[in-house]
């Protein structure tokens, strides 16, 4: 449905019924969403569309959780297709930041999150159209659906939003003084309904999802097998040369986890094996393990006349060789810490 914006930086609500806070049963029963995420999503859906989502404000007040907990929850909602940060290019040429919230999981948002969360700027760029709707602008310059549905209630006049309780949320905040609202599209403007998928298209999409899931499972199994191979070899080799392991009972599991993480970062099985021998510990500490990997890959010089070269985490976990390692299935680059704390207002002028 078309989101009625109180200002260009307002939250765009993706709702099917605009008369009350409505959360579908599929959302409530989604086991990937924590109770905290369900509560925060319901609270966001209950706010006016002039609202601006900020974790520092959401964490204030009695009974609220900390800012980091709010930010983590927003990232979970984004990954599950309920929330996203948008960089909006308006028809008048201005570029502003805003957020979008959906009462139900939007498959298109999930796909867009997988694409843009790996970018340097994780905000999803959207472009306003003549009828007031938005299209997503992808890295290759193409435009696609923003995931908002045509709602059967969309032609009805929405009721006035309820006034928030004093001191709650950000409903009392005014949009930036320099911002101007975009022109309201004509009431008789025609809207193009997106065609429904045919059974054949649905079957093809399901087949693609199943193939992707199978590939992901195969890659995960291969990664687990490689980590197990290196870990088992080292545990036997260390017992021969260093003696029996003395330490916590889950030492083998912890060591295998360290190896798996290194393999995910692009290190080879041979590099991991050489690093374990260099560390000379059944279970190296995190610092010893990363230092050993740095030495094996020539990122850290082991001996110098003036002492060991200082440890550099970015250098140790950086690219191996001339080309960057491919991102393993199931991993993404860490999104910006302030995903929900963008500066709202005009970012660029024509």
């Amino acid at each position: 449905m078309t989101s009625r914006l109180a200002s260009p930086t307002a939250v765009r609500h993706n709702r099917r019924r605009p008369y009350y806070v409505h959360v579908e049963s599929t959302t409530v029963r989604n086991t990937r969403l924590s109770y905290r995420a369900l509560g925060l999503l319901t609270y966001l859906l209950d706010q006016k569309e002039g609202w601006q989502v900020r974790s520092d404000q959401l964490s204030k007040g009695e009974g609220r959780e900390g800012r980091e907990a709010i930010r983590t929850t927003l990232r979970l909602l984004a990954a599950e297709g309920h929330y996203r940060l948008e960089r909006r290019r308006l028809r008048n040429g201005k570029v502003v930041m805003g957020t979008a919230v959906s009462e139900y999981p939007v498959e298109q948002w999930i796909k867009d999150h997988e694409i843009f969360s790996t970018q340097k700027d994780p905000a999803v760029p959207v472009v306003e159209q003549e009828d007031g709707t938005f299209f997503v602008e992808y890295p290759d310059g193409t435009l696609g659906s923003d995931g908002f549905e045509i709602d059967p209630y969309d032609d009805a006049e929405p009721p006035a939003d309820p006034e928030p309780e004093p001191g709650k949320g950000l409903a009392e905040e005014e949009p930036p003084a320099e911002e101007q609202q975009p022109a309201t599209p004509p009431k008789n403007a025609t809207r193009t309904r997106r065609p429904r998928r045919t059974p054949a298209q649905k079957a093809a999409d399901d087949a693609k999802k199943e193939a992707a899931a199978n590939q992901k499972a195969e890659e995960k199994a291969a990664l687990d097998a490689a980590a197990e191979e290196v870990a088992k070899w080292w545990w036997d080799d260390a017992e021969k040369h260093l003696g029996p392991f003395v330490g916590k009972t889950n030492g083998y599991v912890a060591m295998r986890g360290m190896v798996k993480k290194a393999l995910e970062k692009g290190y080879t099985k041979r590099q991991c094996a050489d690093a374990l021998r260099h560390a000379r510990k059944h279970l190296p500490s995190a610092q010893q393990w990363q230092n050993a990997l740095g030495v094996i890959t020539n990122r850290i010089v082991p001996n110098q006349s003036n002492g060991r070269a200082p440890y550099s985490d970015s250098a140790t976990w950086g690219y191996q060789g001339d080309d960057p390692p491919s991102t393993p299935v199931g991993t993404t680059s860490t999104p910006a810490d302030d995903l929900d704390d963008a500066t709202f207002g005009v970012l660029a002028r024509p």
Side-chain angles (χ1 to χ4, degrees):
M1 61 175 286
T2 302
S3 180
R4 300 175 176 88
L5 292 178
S7 78
T9 61
V11 174
R12 295 202 295 149
H13 285 287
N14 196 14
R15 289 175 172 168
R16 287 179 172 145
R17 295 171 180 84
Y19 301 106
Y20 50 87
V21 178
H22 179 83
V23 181
E24 294 186 353
S25 178
T26 54
T27 298
V28 176
R29 296 180 181 276
N30 183 358
T31 57
R32 293 187 299 275
L33 291 179
S34 64
Y35 290 137
R36 172 193 292 169
L38 287 173
L40 180 58
L41 175 61
T42 304
Y43 184 80
L44 295 179
L45 290 171
D46 194 38
Q47 305 308 312
K48 294 175 64 175
E49 291 198 337
W51 227 61
Q52 295 175 354
V53 180
R54 296 181 188 274
S55 60
D56 56 344
Q57 292 292 337
L58 287 169
S59 62
K60 292 180 180 179
E62 184 178 357
R64 302 303 182 218
E65 300 189 66
R67 181 170 179 262
E68 291 303 318
I70 296 295
R71 291 164 62 184
T72 299
T73 306
L74 287 174
R75 286 194 283 269
L76 172 60
L77 290 173
E80 292 299 322
H82 291 281
Y83 167 84
R84 72 180 181 189
L85 181 66
E86 296 180 332
R87 183 178 298 275
R88 300 171 185 161
R89 177 151 55 88
L90 308 179
R91 286 175 293 167
N92 59 12
K94 294 179 180 178
V95 178
V96 299
M97 298 297 293
T99 53
V101 179
S102 178
E103 67 186 25
Y104 58 92
V106 183
E107 288 294 332
Q108 188 61 49
W109 290 15
I110 297 174
K111 296 176 182 177
D112 292 343
H113 176 76
E114 293 174 353
I115 295 173
F116 292 101
S117 63
T118 61
Q119 305 292 315
K120 183 177 181 181
D121 180 4
V124 178
V126 295
V127 182
E128 187 181 19
Q129 305 302 300
E130 289 298 325
D131 62 355
T133 61
F134 288 84
F135 283 159
V136 175
E137 184 176 18
Y138 291 99
D140 61 1
T142 60
L143 297 178
S145 168
D146 67 347
F148 278 77
E149 292 185 355
I150 301 294
D151 193 292
Y153 294 89
D154 197 38
D155 293 332
E157 188 66 23
D161 289 306
E163 290 297 327
E165 297 179 24
K168 298 273 180 120
L170 293 178
E172 67 277 23
E173 287 193 2
E174 295 294 332
E178 71 275 16
E179 190 53 65
Q180 297 179 355
Q181 298 184 18
T184 303
K187 291 184 178 180
N188 60 352
T190 58
R191 298 191 53 209
T192 303
R193 291 181 178 271
R194 298 182 181 91
R196 293 183 179 275
R197 292 187 304 165
T198 64
Q201 290 174 328
K202 291 181 180 179
D205 290 342
D206 292 341
K208 289 180 181 179
K209 291 179 181 179
E210 183 178 359
N214 291 338
Q215 181 181 359
K216 182 177 180 179
E218 290 175 1
E219 293 185 5
K220 181 180 183 301
L223 183 64
D224 290 338
E228 178 68 24
E229 180 184 357
V230 175
K232 187 177 184 305
W233 166 82
W234 171 242
W235 208 248
D236 294 339
D237 188 75
E239 186 168 317
K240 293 177 183 178
H241 296 88
L242 304 178
F245 173 70
V246 178
K248 53 186 180 180
T249 56
N250 63 342
Y252 176 81
V253 176
M255 180 269 295
R256 184 180 59 193
M258 296 174 68
V259 172
K260 181 178 178 180
K261 183 177 180 181
L263 293 173
E264 288 176 339
K265 294 292 183 179
Y267 290 88
T268 65
K269 291 190 294 183
R270 178 57 184 269
Q271 288 172 332
C272 291
D274 290 344
L276 286 167
R277 273 191 167 170
H278 179 84
R280 294 188 60 77
K281 298 283 186 182
H282 289 79
L283 174 61
S285 68
Q287 183 71 43
Q288 290 170 338
W289 175 233
Q290 293 185 12
N291 280 345
L293 286 170
V295 171
I296 294 303
T297 56
N298 296 321
R299 300 286 182 177
I300 298 177
V301 181
N303 293 302
Q304 288 184 333
S305 58
N306 58 347
R308 180 183 290 274
Y311 169 74
S312 170
D313 185 73
S314 61
T316 300
W317 295 100
Y319 295 147
Q320 303 301 305
D322 296 329
D323 298 320
S326 59
T327 302
V329 173
T331 63
T332 58
S333 63
T334 303
D337 289 339
D338 291 329
L339 175 64
D340 58 301
D341 293 331
T343 301
F344 292 86
V346 177
L347 302 182
R349 295 183 182 275

